[in-house]
Amino acid sequence: MIHRADILSAWRDHLEGGRRRSPHTVRAYLATAARLLDNLGATDWPNLARLDAPALRKQLAERRADGIGNVSAARELSALKGFLAFARAQAGMEDAAPPRLRGPRVKKGLPRPVTPDDALNLADGVADFAADDWIGARDRAVLLLMYGAGLRIAEALSLTGADVPLGETLVVTGKGNKQRVVPVLPVVREGVDAYLRLCPWPMDRDAPIFRGSKGGLLNQGMVQKAMAQARIALGLPATATPHALRHSFATHLLGAGADLRSLQELLGHASLGSTQIYTRVDAAKLLETYRSAHPRERT
């Protein structure tokens, strides 16, 4: 048997280093693994590797009893499957058949994009409300990267000194350690350059570009908090989150004529199905325009 802490530590290292998961995902997946270990008691990698579908159903049933919905249950199952796949690798049992269990059906909601003007107003707003000029420039640069280049917030915060100064394109390492090339608009380059001029911390090649107030890696929550403050001041809905900027990047490109395959590459989606949701967004916008403009709809 091995200590619970050692199992969780190995799982964390795998998520952070091997899989390059975001801090939010790491916390959620660690919590899922910890709940499973608490229910099992003393265990080791081979025992974890041999867990079957009934064991997973029992674990999910307990979480359902806690009141989680379909979306949370689907994420919980995904985390459990990933953890058990890691356990099989640790036990040298990669060829063992994984437990077959279908998750709950989750209806995909439509992303809620913001308008181009609102996206830029939000970027300027976080700068206006910041306590220090360099912090305002920092938050503005992060938001511009999300809207102007379609980066996930974790991807923007993972950029290092080796990535600057930005050129016309940027190589981004996304989910699953997959790399993609994204174009960098002049307004995005200017925003990042303005931050770099004001940043009080040395910009070493291996150091993160975006720093917290004490010089460490900037936490996603600080960006979310800054954007929420700007959103409220601008009177925008609660759906105007940092991730909505990435949705807006995709929706506006599609509306301007970008094809789905190109959009898939720019967003770093593993499958075209993940990108096709934006066709529904565009159709929803078209219907909204029709209803506001057609004479019969106005009567």
Side-chain angles (χ1 to χ4, degrees), residues 47-101:
N47 283 329
L48 286 170
R50 285 190 287 266
L51 287 179
D52 54 13
L56 293 189
R57 288 194 189 95
K58 179 181 178 183
Q59 185 72 14
L60 287 175
E62 291 185 5
R63 293 291 289 140
R64 285 289 202 178
D66 292 336
I68 66 171
N70 281 359
V71 173
S72 296
R75 290 172 178 167
E76 188 91 358
L77 179 58
S78 177
L80 285 169
K81 287 181 175 179
F83 180 52
L84 296 190
F86 178 67
R88 289 194 296 276
Q90 295 299 105
M93 299 166 58
E94 293 97 330
D95 295 334
R100 301 186 65 177
L101 185 63

Side-chain angles (χ1 to χ4, degrees), residues 114-124 147 234 236 252:
V114 299
T115 67
D117 284 344
D118 285 341
L120 295 178
N121 286 336
L122 282 165
D124 292 339
Y147 176 66
L234 292 170
L236 296 176
H252 298 160

Side-chain angles (χ1 to χ4, degrees), residues 15-224:
L15 291 170
E16 292 178 340
R19 302 295 295 172
R20 295 178 63 90
R21 298 297 191 186
S22 71
H24 174 76
T25 299
V26 171
R27 286 193 299 270
Y29 276 38
L30 276 174
T32 296
R35 282 190 290 269
L36 177 64
L37 293 175
D38 289 341
N39 285 340
L40 294 175
T43 189
D44 54 22
W45 292 120
N47 283 329
L48 286 170
R50 285 190 287 266
L51 287 179
D52 54 13
L56 293 189
R57 288 194 189 95
K58 179 181 178 183
Q59 185 72 14
L60 287 175
E62 291 185 5
R63 293 291 289 140
R64 285 289 202 178
D66 292 336
I68 66 171
N70 281 359
V71 173
S72 296
R75 290 172 178 167
E76 188 91 358
L77 179 58
S78 177
L80 285 169
K81 287 181 175 179
F83 180 52
L84 296 190
F86 178 67
R88 289 194 296 276
Q90 295 299 105
M93 299 166 58
E94 293 97 330
D95 295 334
R100 301 186 65 177
L101 185 63
R102 182 174 295 178
R105 294 177 65 92
V106 178
K107 183 179 179 181
K108 285 190 175 181
L110 291 177
R112 299 292 298 274
V114 299
T115 67
D117 284 344
D118 285 341
L120 295 178
N121 286 336
L122 282 165
D124 292 339
V126 295
D128 292 340
F129 288 111
D132 295 298
D133 288 344
W134 79 269
I135 290 178
R138 176 199 70 192
D139 294 345
R140 181 175 186 271
V142 173
L143 266 57
L144 287 175
L145 279 165
M146 297 186 70
Y147 176 66
L151 269 59
R152 301 176 176 92
I153 187 170
E155 292 170 347
L157 299 188
S158 70
L159 298 179
T160 68
D163 296 309
V164 293
L166 295 179
E168 293 186 354
T169 60
L170 174 65
V171 178
V172 180
T173 303
K175 289 185 176 181
N177 214 27
K178 294 180 179 179
Q179 290 189 324
R180 67 185 190 277
V181 178
V182 297
V184 181
L185 299 174
V187 67
V188 178
R189 290 199 298 272
E190 291 163 5
V192 173
D193 288 344
Y195 160 65
L196 294 175
R197 287 194 296 270
L198 294 174
C199 180
W201 307 103
M203 200 53 59
D204 299 327
R205 282 186 59 82
D206 296 331
I209 292 177
F210 297 110
R211 308 289 191 90
S213 58
K214 296 183 179 179
L217 175 65
L218 176 61
N219 185 282
Q220 292 186 25
M222 299 307 296
V223 179
Q224 293 163 342

Side-chain angles (χ1 to χ4, degrees), residues 113-117 119 147 247-258 282:
V114 299
T115 67
D117 284 344
Y147 176 66
H247 289 319
S248 302
F249 165 84
T251 305
H252 298 160
L253 279 180
L254 186 65
D282 202 48

